Amino acid sequence: MDRPNLEIDAAIAEAHGRFLKANPKSAARHEGAKRALPGGNTRAVLWYEPFPLTLTGGEGCRVTDLDGNTYVDFVSEYTAGLYGHSNAKIAATIKSIADSGWVLGGPNPYEARLGQAIVDRYPAIERVRFCNSGTEANLMALSTARAVTGRKSILAFDGGYHGGILTFAHGGSPLNAPYPFIFAQYNDLEGTATLIRQHAGDLAAVILEPMMGGGGCIAAEPEFLAMLREETAKAGIILIFDEVMASRLSYRGYHGMAGIKPDMISLGKYIGGGCSFGAFGGRADILDRFDPGRPDSFGHGGTFNNNVFSMAAGLTGFTEVLTEEALNRMNALGEELRAGMNALIAARGIGAVVTGVGSIMNLHFVAGEVTSPHDAEAGDPRLLHLWQIESLLKRQYVTPRGMIALSLPIGRAEIVAFLDVFAEFLDSYRSVLPNRE
Ligand code: PMP
């Protein structure tokens, strides 16, 4: 099976040929899309070479494309698709909203109930406000921290991702929101503590994901989180945990599992039950500044902040579907998948690792340890691309960057089949994959 003289670029070109042959309708749709949408795209993460598959539907943990191929979904809408594609309770809620009206222009019966469920579940959230995306939640949290502290700067982490205009990988984006950022290295305990002390007088907030998702599924060391809590508390800096992805890694949120109480938390993705969603919450003394009845109130508008679909579907999902047992089962299955992939890698002496926590993980073709986005960048991105295209050809729907997220409908049978396909990839391409150090 191994092909000793194989070159990566030639292997990719050959795989693209098979991909085009299998997906002519997706290819044609993508070409047509370029007329109105730049590059045929309106969401950067969904773009990949030679063209992205067009998805037309989903059921359970499977999605179908325009050419009629069905895939087991290991993208799970970048963690927002936690409930899968056809949860009966959520679907019934959405249908009932479609029947009763959804642009009503007043408080609805669902928003406070969803807020209460979030407050009851997450130890660090005493009050919560809704918005429309994780990006917006983080912008609101950062601006709130600046307003309550009267300070300007934000400490964030190199390689972090907190939204479309809060993106800190590969030197950041020219479109980033113009906060004065100071960057530290993730899991660098000494260096980060020094930076916080140096800038204490002007730091409004420290923001991080307790497990970096987009940054490569890299978990913070417990001592690192403890240091951040201690140093920020000492200096009156607002500690913000971005749990847009990470909240699903434990029933009480990542902070609940870690036993750390940040001052603010941002949420998003799956909590809207599959509809557009964002939320920011935290300490009552901070959040209560949003009480419109207060003379010193912060205004916070947003036409769709209490979007009826998101509030109602979110409430059903969060309170009726996402039980502690269901969440634990999904995260345990994720640990099984990660351990299985790492065992296949180790047995072949390959320089690769699957990092992550529970149901969210990332494959890296890197020979050494991966404890920061900087480590992850050592990998050759062509290898992940080859893995993605070959996995798609085997009907496993995976992301271009090697991230894998489970959903509730995924079971052990899907995990076993995925591991078989992964082993086959490792064997077919062994000669181009790095060796273990
Ligand atoms: N924070 C994190 C950790 C995320 O993963 C994302 C989305 N990938 C966001 C914020 C932004 O959320 P949204 O895409 O809803 O704006």
Side-chain angles (χ1 to χ4, degrees):
M1 255 200 289
D2 192 17
R3 294 165 282 180
N5 297 318
L6 197 64
E7 281 189 45
I8 302 174
D9 290 332
I12 288 174
E14 192 267 335
H16 281 184
R18 282 182 284 127
F19 188 76
L20 175 59
K21 214 165 155 199
N23 301 291
K25 290 182 180 165
S26 276
R29 192 222 53 99
H30 180 65
E31 275 310 302
K34 291 177 183 173
R35 289 195 292 275
L37 308 176
N41 178 269
T42 189
R43 181 179 173 201
V45 78
L46 299 185
W47 187 90
Y48 50 86
E49 297 275 13
F51 54 86
L53 294 173
T54 305
L55 298 185
T56 55
E59 196 180 344
C61 62
R62 287 175 168 76
V63 288
T64 301
D65 73 12
L66 197 53
D67 289 279
N69 305 306
T70 295
Y71 302 79
V72 183
D73 183 6
F74 285 92
V75 175
S76 301
E77 185 48 308
Y78 286 84
T79 74
L82 175 150
Y83 298 113
H85 301 288
S86 49
N87 182 274
K89 287 181 176 166
I90 296 175
T93 297
I94 290 175
K95 282 175 190 153
S96 80
I97 298 299
D99 287 339
S100 61
W102 62 92
V103 272
L104 304 175
N108 60 61
Y110 313 105
E111 62 205 56
R113 290 170 63 200
L114 178 58
Q116 191 65 53
I118 289 171
V119 164
D120 290 345
R121 193 169 300 183
Y122 297 139
I125 301 188
E126 294 171 345
R127 303 270 198 279
V128 65
R129 283 187 76 88
F130 297 120
C131 52
N132 290 277
S133 68
T135 304
E136 205 184 324
N138 283 318
L139 291 171
M140 286 304 301
L142 294 175
S143 289
T144 302
R146 281 161 48 107
V148 298
T149 60
R151 302 174 186 168
K152 299 261 178 297
S153 304
I154 309 289
L155 188 131
F157 291 89
D158 218 9
Y161 184 85
H162 302 288
I165 53 169
L166 293 166
T167 166
F168 307 133
H170 312 294
S173 159
L175 302 184
N176 273 348
Y179 296 106
F181 287 109
I182 293 161
F183 291 103
Q185 298 302 314
Y186 202 71
N187 277 330
D188 173 11
L189 207 140
E190 292 297 316
T192 306
T194 304
L195 272 177
I196 292 175
R197 285 179 203 152
Q198 265 171 6
H199 296 276
D202 193 45
L203 269 181
V206 170
I207 184 167
L208 81 159
E209 283 186 276
M211 186 206 71
M212 275 189 164
C217 296
I218 296 161
E221 308 285 351
E223 313 81 64
F224 184 66
L225 294 181
M227 176 279 291
L228 290 177
R229 180 62 289 183
E230 196 184 317
E231 294 292 336
T232 51
K234 248 193 287 182
I237 299 162
I238 308 290
L239 180 62
I240 304 170
F241 275 15
D242 176 345
E243 296 209 25
V244 166
M245 279 191 185
S247 58
R248 56 176 253 163
L249 298 176
S250 171
Y251 188 67
R252 302 276 170 213
Y254 203 100
H255 66 287
M257 174 169 71
I260 301 260
K261 246 186 170 176
D263 304 297
M264 294 188 78
I265 291 189
S266 44
L267 299 171
K269 297 212 183 270
Y270 70 96
I271 297 184
C275 302
S276 308
F277 183 81
F280 58 102
R283 275 169 37 196
D285 64 307
I286 298 174
L287 268 291
D288 281 346
R289 287 293 299 274
F290 288 94
D291 174 351
R294 273 172 66 149
D296 64 348
S297 170
F298 297 145
H300 168 225
T303 302
F304 288 111
N305 283 357
N306 67 338
N307 167 16
V308 187
F309 281 116
S310 304
M311 297 295 110
L315 178 67
T316 299
F318 199 70
T319 60
E320 293 181 40
V321 184
L322 197 60
T323 61
E324 186 162 9
E325 190 195 357
L327 191 72
N328 288 346
R329 182 194 148 278
M330 178 181 73
N331 283 317
L333 216 48
E335 288 298 338
E336 228 177 84
L337 174 58
R338 197 161 65 86
M341 291 176 77
N342 278 325
L344 292 172
I345 289 165
R348 288 160 177 77
I350 293 170
V353 63
V354 184
T355 58
V357 176
S359 58
I360 310 179
M361 64 206 79
N362 210 113
L363 169 63
H364 305 276
F365 285 108
V366 171
E369 270 207 332
V370 176
T371 61
S372 72
H374 181 73
D375 295 338
E377 278 173 17
D380 183 339
R382 292 176 303 168
L383 295 176
L384 283 178
H385 178 63
L386 190 55
W387 166 76
Q388 185 209 8
I389 296 298
E390 288 293 7
S391 299
L392 294 177
L393 284 162
K394 296 273 163 49
R395 308 291 180 249
Q396 308 287 322
Y397 193 59
V398 295
T399 67
R401 65 168 182 244
M403 184 173 160
I404 293 164
L406 302 193
S407 62
L408 294 178
I410 288 182
R412 185 155 289 113
E414 282 81 21
I415 299 292
V416 169
F418 185 93
L419 288 171
D420 284 347
V421 170
F422 185 58
E424 204 179 311
F425 173 82
L426 296 179
D427 289 334
S428 305
Y429 289 104
R430 178 65 190 93
S431 63
V432 297
L433 300 178
N435 293 319
R436 175 150 286 201
E437 265 175 4

mmCIF file of all heavy atoms in Angstrom, residues 43 45 77-79 132-138 161-164 166 208-209 211-214 242-246 266-269 276-278 401 403, ligand 1:
data_model
loop_
_atom_site.group_PDB
_atom_site.id
_atom_site.type_symbol
_atom_site.label_atom_id
_atom_site.label_comp_id
_atom_site.label_asym_id
_atom_site.label_seq_id
_atom_site.Cartn_x
_atom_site.Cartn_y
_atom_site.Cartn_z
ATOM 1 N N ARG A 43 -18.069 32.771 3.834
ATOM 2 C CA ARG A 43 -17.627 32.350 5.175
ATOM 3 C C ARG A 43 -16.291 31.640 5.006
ATOM 4 O O ARG A 43 -16.236 30.515 4.509
ATOM 5 C CB ARG A 43 -18.675 31.405 5.768
ATOM 6 C CG ARG A 43 -18.336 30.935 7.165
ATOM 7 C CD ARG A 43 -19.423 30.016 7.694
ATOM 8 N NE ARG A 43 -19.045 29.422 8.945
ATOM 9 C CZ ARG A 43 -19.587 28.315 9.436
ATOM 10 N NH1 ARG A 43 -20.544 27.685 8.757
ATOM 11 N NH2 ARG A 43 -19.197 27.822 10.586
ATOM 12 N N VAL A 45 -14.044 29.995 6.536
ATOM 13 C CA VAL A 45 -13.656 28.665 6.994
ATOM 14 C C VAL A 45 -14.226 27.550 6.099
ATOM 15 O O VAL A 45 -13.741 26.423 6.124
ATOM 16 C CB VAL A 45 -14.072 28.485 8.483
ATOM 17 C CG1 VAL A 45 -15.558 28.195 8.606
ATOM 18 C CG2 VAL A 45 -13.256 27.416 9.178
ATOM 19 N N GLU A 77 -20.642 21.395 12.118
ATOM 20 C CA GLU A 77 -20.744 22.850 12.013
ATOM 21 C C GLU A 77 -19.796 23.543 13.001
ATOM 22 O O GLU A 77 -20.149 24.448 13.742
ATOM 23 C CB GLU A 77 -22.213 23.293 12.205
ATOM 24 C CG GLU A 77 -22.538 24.758 12.006
ATOM 25 C CD GLU A 77 -21.989 25.397 10.748
ATOM 26 O OE1 GLU A 77 -20.785 25.291 10.494
ATOM 27 O OE2 GLU A 77 -22.781 26.035 10.024
ATOM 28 N N TYR A 78 -18.544 23.060 12.962
ATOM 29 C CA TYR A 78 -17.498 23.657 13.827
ATOM 30 C C TYR A 78 -17.976 23.796 15.276
ATOM 31 O O TYR A 78 -17.782 24.819 15.900
ATOM 32 C CB TYR A 78 -17.011 24.985 13.244
ATOM 33 C CG TYR A 78 -16.127 24.781 12.030
ATOM 34 C CD1 TYR A 78 -16.684 24.593 10.765
ATOM 35 C CD2 TYR A 78 -14.753 24.710 12.161
ATOM 36 C CE1 TYR A 78 -15.884 24.363 9.655
ATOM 37 C CE2 TYR A 78 -13.938 24.480 11.059
ATOM 38 C CZ TYR A 78 -14.510 24.318 9.811
ATOM 39 O OH TYR A 78 -13.712 24.075 8.718
ATOM 40 N N THR A 79 -18.616 22.764 15.746
ATOM 41 C CA THR A 79 -19.132 22.568 17.119
ATOM 42 C C THR A 79 -20.537 23.104 17.347
ATOM 43 O O THR A 79 -21.177 22.762 18.333
ATOM 44 C CB THR A 79 -18.225 23.152 18.252
ATOM 45 O OG1 THR A 79 -18.331 24.572 18.269
ATOM 46 C CG2 THR A 79 -16.775 22.733 18.093
ATOM 47 N N ASN A 132 -26.011 38.023 18.610
ATOM 48 C CA ASN A 132 -26.257 37.203 17.426
ATOM 49 C C ASN A 132 -25.126 36.292 16.976
ATOM 50 O O ASN A 132 -25.299 35.511 16.057
ATOM 51 C CB ASN A 132 -26.660 38.098 16.259
ATOM 52 C CG ASN A 132 -28.035 38.682 16.480
ATOM 53 O OD1 ASN A 132 -29.031 38.037 16.197
ATOM 54 N ND2 ASN A 132 -28.095 39.876 17.034
ATOM 55 N N SER A 133 -23.976 36.429 17.570
ATOM 56 C CA SER A 133 -22.861 35.575 17.156
ATOM 57 C C SER A 133 -21.821 35.558 18.258
ATOM 58 O O SER A 133 -21.827 36.410 19.162
ATOM 59 C CB SER A 133 -22.219 36.109 15.869
ATOM 60 O OG SER A 133 -21.561 37.334 16.139
ATOM 61 N N GLY A 134 -20.922 34.623 18.155
ATOM 62 C CA GLY A 134 -19.808 34.560 19.100
ATOM 63 C C GLY A 134 -18.899 35.773 18.963
ATOM 64 O O GLY A 134 -18.358 36.280 19.949
ATOM 65 N N THR A 135 -18.737 36.228 17.731
ATOM 66 C CA THR A 135 -17.912 37.425 17.493
ATOM 67 C C THR A 135 -18.489 38.606 18.257
ATOM 68 O O THR A 135 -17.775 39.326 18.971
ATOM 69 C CB THR A 135 -17.904 37.766 15.983
ATOM 70 O OG1 THR A 135 -17.459 36.634 15.247
ATOM 71 C CG2 THR A 135 -17.017 38.967 15.696
ATOM 72 N N GLU A 136 -19.788 38.784 18.108
ATOM 73 C CA GLU A 136 -20.459 39.911 18.768
ATOM 74 C C GLU A 136 -20.368 39.763 20.294
ATOM 75 O O GLU A 136 -20.161 40.751 21.009
ATOM 76 C CB GLU A 136 -21.917 39.921 18.315
ATOM 77 C CG GLU A 136 -22.582 41.260 18.400
ATOM 78 C CD GLU A 136 -24.054 41.152 18.022
ATOM 79 O OE1 GLU A 136 -24.422 40.354 17.127
ATOM 80 O OE2 GLU A 136 -24.850 41.871 18.640
ATOM 81 N N ALA A 137 -20.507 38.546 20.775
ATOM 82 C CA ALA A 137 -20.418 38.309 22.221
ATOM 83 C C ALA A 137 -19.053 38.752 22.745
ATOM 84 O O ALA A 137 -18.948 39.409 23.787
ATOM 85 C CB ALA A 137 -20.639 36.818 22.521
ATOM 86 N N ASN A 138 -17.999 38.412 21.993
ATOM 87 C CA ASN A 138 -16.657 38.805 22.440
ATOM 88 C C ASN A 138 -16.438 40.309 22.326
ATOM 89 O O ASN A 138 -15.813 40.921 23.196
ATOM 90 C CB ASN A 138 -15.596 38.028 21.653
ATOM 91 C CG ASN A 138 -15.473 36.607 22.167
ATOM 92 O OD1 ASN A 138 -15.491 36.373 23.378
ATOM 93 N ND2 ASN A 138 -15.365 35.649 21.263
ATOM 94 N N TYR A 161 -8.460 32.664 18.423
ATOM 95 C CA TYR A 161 -9.573 33.043 17.533
ATOM 96 C C TYR A 161 -10.783 33.362 18.385
ATOM 97 O O TYR A 161 -11.251 32.529 19.160
ATOM 98 C CB TYR A 161 -9.918 31.909 16.563
ATOM 99 C CG TYR A 161 -10.995 32.322 15.580
ATOM 100 C CD1 TYR A 161 -10.667 33.006 14.410
ATOM 101 C CD2 TYR A 161 -12.343 32.082 15.835
ATOM 102 C CE1 TYR A 161 -11.647 33.434 13.523
ATOM 103 C CE2 TYR A 161 -13.338 32.504 14.951
ATOM 104 C CZ TYR A 161 -12.978 33.176 13.794
ATOM 105 O OH TYR A 161 -13.945 33.601 12.920
ATOM 106 N N HIS A 162 -11.266 34.586 18.263
ATOM 107 C CA HIS A 162 -12.457 34.975 19.011
ATOM 108 C C HIS A 162 -13.530 35.558 18.089
ATOM 109 O O HIS A 162 -14.454 36.206 18.560
ATOM 110 C CB HIS A 162 -12.080 35.973 20.113
ATOM 111 C CG HIS A 162 -11.065 35.424 21.070
ATOM 112 N ND1 HIS A 162 -11.364 34.440 21.995
ATOM 113 C CD2 HIS A 162 -9.735 35.677 21.224
ATOM 114 C CE1 HIS A 162 -10.270 34.127 22.687
ATOM 115 N NE2 HIS A 162 -9.276 34.860 22.234
ATOM 116 N N GLY A 163 -13.373 35.365 16.783
ATOM 117 C CA GLY A 163 -14.369 35.837 15.840
ATOM 118 C C GLY A 163 -13.739 36.379 14.575
ATOM 119 O O GLY A 163 -12.509 36.522 14.484
ATOM 120 N N GLY A 164 -14.621 36.674 13.599
ATOM 121 C CA GLY A 164 -14.152 37.091 12.281
ATOM 122 C C GLY A 164 -13.268 38.326 12.320
ATOM 123 O O GLY A 164 -12.390 38.492 11.460
ATOM 124 N N LEU A 166 -11.683 39.229 15.258
ATOM 125 C CA LEU A 166 -10.845 39.053 16.458
ATOM 126 C C LEU A 166 -10.022 37.791 16.224
ATOM 127 O O LEU A 166 -10.143 36.797 16.935
ATOM 128 C CB LEU A 166 -11.719 38.899 17.708
ATOM 129 C CG LEU A 166 -12.531 40.119 18.157
ATOM 130 C CD1 LEU A 166 -13.585 39.726 19.183
ATOM 131 C CD2 LEU A 166 -11.617 41.210 18.716
ATOM 132 N N LEU A 208 -9.245 34.671 26.694
ATOM 133 C CA LEU A 208 -8.706 33.423 26.137
ATOM 134 C C LEU A 208 -9.786 32.354 26.103
ATOM 135 O O LEU A 208 -10.790 32.428 26.819
ATOM 136 C CB LEU A 208 -7.511 32.914 26.947
ATOM 137 C CG LEU A 208 -7.797 32.138 28.230
ATOM 138 C CD1 LEU A 208 -6.594 31.295 28.589
ATOM 139 C CD2 LEU A 208 -8.157 33.066 29.367
ATOM 140 N N GLU A 209 -9.545 31.377 25.241
ATOM 141 C CA GLU A 209 -10.328 30.145 25.302
ATOM 142 C C GLU A 209 -9.607 29.208 26.269
ATOM 143 O O GLU A 209 -8.399 28.992 26.119
ATOM 144 C CB GLU A 209 -10.341 29.466 23.943
ATOM 145 C CG GLU A 209 -11.230 30.049 22.911
ATOM 146 C CD GLU A 209 -11.215 29.159 21.663
ATOM 147 O OE1 GLU A 209 -10.314 29.289 20.835
ATOM 148 O OE2 GLU A 209 -12.097 28.299 21.555
ATOM 149 N N MET A 211 -9.805 26.091 26.290
ATOM 150 C CA MET A 211 -9.208 25.188 25.314
ATOM 151 C C MET A 211 -9.318 25.869 23.971
ATOM 152 O O MET A 211 -10.422 26.119 23.492
ATOM 153 C CB MET A 211 -9.908 23.833 25.220
ATOM 154 C CG MET A 211 -9.130 22.905 24.278
ATOM 155 S SD MET A 211 -10.083 21.602 23.452
ATOM 156 C CE MET A 211 -11.063 22.517 22.273
ATOM 157 N N MET A 212 -8.180 26.209 23.377
ATOM 158 C CA MET A 212 -8.203 26.861 22.073
ATOM 159 C C MET A 212 -8.853 25.936 21.061
ATOM 160 O O MET A 212 -8.417 24.788 20.920
ATOM 161 C CB MET A 212 -6.776 27.145 21.623
ATOM 162 C CG MET A 212 -6.217 28.426 22.147
ATOM 163 S SD MET A 212 -4.642 28.705 21.305
ATOM 164 C CE MET A 212 -4.425 30.434 21.679
ATOM 165 N N GLY A 213 -9.880 26.419 20.367
ATOM 166 C CA GLY A 213 -10.531 25.600 19.348
ATOM 167 C C GLY A 213 -9.863 25.821 17.998
ATOM 168 O O GLY A 213 -9.080 25.009 17.522
ATOM 169 N N GLY A 214 -10.164 26.981 17.400
ATOM 170 C CA GLY A 214 -9.567 27.319 16.107
ATOM 171 C C GLY A 214 -8.048 27.343 16.153
ATOM 172 O O GLY A 214 -7.393 27.096 15.146
ATOM 173 N N ASP A 242 -13.573 32.790 26.694
ATOM 174 C CA ASP A 242 -14.376 32.582 25.495
ATOM 175 C C ASP A 242 -14.733 31.098 25.469
ATOM 176 O O ASP A 242 -13.891 30.252 25.167
ATOM 177 C CB ASP A 242 -13.558 32.995 24.273
ATOM 178 C CG ASP A 242 -14.278 32.727 22.961
ATOM 179 O OD1 ASP A 242 -15.281 31.978 22.963
ATOM 180 O OD2 ASP A 242 -13.820 33.242 21.922
ATOM 181 N N GLU A 243 -15.989 30.807 25.838
ATOM 182 C CA GLU A 243 -16.446 29.409 25.846
ATOM 183 C C GLU A 243 -17.456 29.148 24.730
ATOM 184 O O GLU A 243 -18.351 28.319 24.849
ATOM 185 C CB GLU A 243 -17.018 29.032 27.222
ATOM 186 C CG GLU A 243 -15.975 29.082 28.328
ATOM 187 C CD GLU A 243 -16.252 28.118 29.477
ATOM 188 O OE1 GLU A 243 -16.930 27.088 29.265
ATOM 189 O OE2 GLU A 243 -15.790 28.406 30.594
ATOM 190 N N VAL A 244 -17.287 29.898 23.634
ATOM 191 C CA VAL A 244 -18.160 29.700 22.471
ATOM 192 C C VAL A 244 -18.113 28.230 22.040
ATOM 193 O O VAL A 244 -19.145 27.617 21.768
ATOM 194 C CB VAL A 244 -17.742 30.657 21.329
ATOM 195 C CG1 VAL A 244 -18.372 30.262 20.010
ATOM 196 C CG2 VAL A 244 -18.113 32.099 21.693
ATOM 197 N N MET A 245 -16.922 27.666 22.013
ATOM 198 C CA MET A 245 -16.787 26.233 21.734
ATOM 199 C C MET A 245 -16.670 25.424 23.028
ATOM 200 O O MET A 245 -17.292 24.383 23.184
ATOM 201 C CB MET A 245 -15.519 25.963 20.916
ATOM 202 C CG MET A 245 -15.653 26.221 19.447
ATOM 203 S SD MET A 245 -14.200 25.554 18.606
ATOM 204 C CE MET A 245 -14.537 26.121 16.944
ATOM 205 N N ALA A 246 -15.833 25.905 23.944
ATOM 206 C CA ALA A 246 -15.372 25.057 25.056
ATOM 207 C C ALA A 246 -16.457 24.747 26.084
ATOM 208 O O ALA A 246 -16.327 23.789 26.844
ATOM 209 C CB ALA A 246 -14.174 25.711 25.746
ATOM 210 N N SER A 266 -18.070 34.378 27.277
ATOM 211 C CA SER A 266 -18.835 34.510 26.044
ATOM 212 C C SER A 266 -19.263 33.130 25.577
ATOM 213 O O SER A 266 -18.541 32.145 25.748
ATOM 214 C CB SER A 266 -18.012 35.234 24.977
ATOM 215 O OG SER A 266 -16.705 34.735 24.950
ATOM 216 N N LEU A 267 -20.460 33.086 25.023
ATOM 217 C CA LEU A 267 -21.048 31.837 24.541
ATOM 218 C C LEU A 267 -21.525 32.035 23.108
ATOM 219 O O LEU A 267 -21.702 33.168 22.646
ATOM 220 C CB LEU A 267 -22.246 31.437 25.407
ATOM 221 C CG LEU A 267 -21.984 31.177 26.897
ATOM 222 C CD1 LEU A 267 -23.308 31.017 27.640
ATOM 223 C CD2 LEU A 267 -21.105 29.943 27.103
ATOM 224 N N GLY A 268 -21.778 30.928 22.428
ATOM 225 C CA GLY A 268 -22.294 31.022 21.061
ATOM 226 C C GLY A 268 -22.610 29.637 20.540
ATOM 227 O O GLY A 268 -22.930 28.719 21.288
ATOM 228 N N LYS A 269 -22.553 29.524 19.243
ATOM 229 C CA LYS A 269 -22.676 28.251 18.531
ATOM 230 C C LYS A 269 -23.898 27.422 18.951
ATOM 231 O O LYS A 269 -25.016 27.859 18.805
ATOM 232 C CB LYS A 269 -21.376 27.472 18.671
ATOM 233 C CG LYS A 269 -20.197 28.231 18.003
ATOM 234 C CD LYS A 269 -19.181 27.304 17.438
ATOM 235 C CE LYS A 269 -17.978 28.014 16.839
ATOM 236 N NZ LYS A 269 -18.133 28.335 15.436
ATOM 237 N N SER A 276 -28.824 31.194 14.745
ATOM 238 C CA SER A 276 -27.784 32.195 15.043
ATOM 239 C C SER A 276 -27.795 32.540 16.517
ATOM 240 O O SER A 276 -28.859 32.801 17.091
ATOM 241 C CB SER A 276 -28.048 33.489 14.278
ATOM 242 O OG SER A 276 -28.222 33.232 12.935
ATOM 243 N N PHE A 277 -26.615 32.596 17.134
ATOM 244 C CA PHE A 277 -26.617 32.796 18.580
ATOM 245 C C PHE A 277 -25.293 33.359 19.087
ATOM 246 O O PHE A 277 -24.221 33.021 18.598
ATOM 247 C CB PHE A 277 -26.873 31.456 19.291
ATOM 248 C CG PHE A 277 -26.973 31.598 20.788
ATOM 249 C CD1 PHE A 277 -28.155 32.016 21.382
ATOM 250 C CD2 PHE A 277 -25.875 31.351 21.600
ATOM 251 C CE1 PHE A 277 -28.243 32.170 22.761
ATOM 252 C CE2 PHE A 277 -25.949 31.506 22.980
ATOM 253 C CZ PHE A 277 -27.139 31.916 23.560
ATOM 254 N N GLY A 278 -25.404 34.207 20.084
ATOM 255 C CA GLY A 278 -24.260 34.650 20.865
ATOM 256 C C GLY A 278 -24.770 35.096 22.220
ATOM 257 O O GLY A 278 -25.954 35.442 22.375
ATOM 258 N N ARG A 401 -8.660 22.094 8.317
ATOM 259 C CA ARG A 401 -7.547 22.333 9.239
ATOM 260 C C ARG A 401 -7.313 21.195 10.231
ATOM 261 O O ARG A 401 -6.521 21.333 11.151
ATOM 262 C CB ARG A 401 -7.742 23.647 9.972
ATOM 263 C CG ARG A 401 -8.952 23.674 10.900
ATOM 264 C CD ARG A 401 -8.874 24.925 11.783
ATOM 265 N NE ARG A 401 -9.945 25.004 12.724
ATOM 266 C CZ ARG A 401 -10.884 25.955 12.747
ATOM 267 N NH1 ARG A 401 -10.879 26.902 11.850
ATOM 268 N NH2 ARG A 401 -11.810 25.956 13.677
ATOM 269 N N MET A 403 -9.533 19.831 12.247
ATOM 270 C CA MET A 403 -10.386 19.819 13.426
ATOM 271 C C MET A 403 -11.534 18.821 13.241
ATOM 272 O O MET A 403 -12.085 18.705 12.152
ATOM 273 C CB MET A 403 -10.956 21.211 13.661
ATOM 274 C CG MET A 403 -11.767 21.288 14.911
ATOM 275 S SD MET A 403 -12.233 22.988 15.203
ATOM 276 C CE MET A 403 -13.596 22.719 16.289
HETATM 277 N N1 PMP B 1 -14.981 32.367 19.681
HETATM 278 C C1 PMP B 1 -14.643 31.112 19.388
HETATM 279 C C2 PMP B 1 -13.808 30.363 20.352
HETATM 280 C C3 PMP B 1 -15.087 30.508 18.221
HETATM 281 O O1 PMP B 1 -14.729 29.262 17.928
HETATM 282 C C4 PMP B 1 -15.895 31.252 17.333
HETATM 283 C C5 PMP B 1 -16.420 30.664 16.050
HETATM 284 N N2 PMP B 1 -15.621 29.733 15.421
HETATM 285 C C6 PMP B 1 -16.210 32.562 17.669
HETATM 286 C C7 PMP B 1 -15.755 33.078 18.856
HETATM 287 C C8 PMP B 1 -17.044 33.403 16.783
HETATM 288 O O2 PMP B 1 -18.351 32.957 16.740
HETATM 289 P P1 PMP B 1 -19.277 33.337 15.491
HETATM 290 O O3 PMP B 1 -18.745 32.580 14.333
HETATM 291 O O4 PMP B 1 -20.639 32.918 15.916
HETATM 292 O O5 PMP B 1 -19.162 34.815 15.314
#
